[in-house]
Amino acid sequence: AGQSVFFGAMVVAQLLFVGFGLAALRWPAGGRFGQLSSFFLLTIAAQALGWGRFVRGKKDVMWTPQR
C-alpha cells in the first residue's frame, strides 16, 4: 500500500509539472520554474517530432559550407 501512495504522488507531481509547463507556454510570466517546465515540454515535443520523421523515413539534409 505504501508504494501505491508514492507512485500516486509521483503521477500527481508529474501532471502538475506538465500543467504548469503548458500554462507557462500560454502565459509566459511563470518565472524560473515556468521556464524550466516549458523548456522540458518543448524538448519532449521536438524529440517526438524527430522520431516521427525518422520512422516515416524523412531525412534532414545538412548544409555544409564550401571553403
Side-chain angles (χ1 to χ4, degrees), residues 20-41:
F20 196 75
L22 290 173
L25 286 172
R26 177 66 175 99
W27 300 283
R32 189 86 167 141
F33 188 73
Q35 290 176 348
L36 176 68
S37 57
S38 61
F39 175 76
F40 179 77
L41 289 179

Side-chain angles (χ1 to χ4, degrees), residues 1-66:
Q3 284 184 344
S4 61
V5 171
F6 174 75
F7 289 118
M10 290 293 106
V11 168
V12 169
Q14 185 174 6
L15 290 175
L16 286 172
F17 186 77
V18 169
F20 196 75
L22 290 173
L25 286 172
R26 177 66 175 99
W27 300 283
R32 189 86 167 141
F33 188 73
Q35 290 176 348
L36 176 68
S37 57
S38 61
F39 175 76
F40 179 77
L41 289 179
L42 289 175
T43 303
I44 297 299
Q47 290 175 5
L49 289 174
W51 275 107
R53 290 175 62 86
F54 175 74
V55 167
R56 288 193 310 267
K58 300 219 176 195
K59 285 189 176 182
D60 289 328
V61 179
M62 294 185 62
W63 174 72
T64 54
Q66 298 293 327

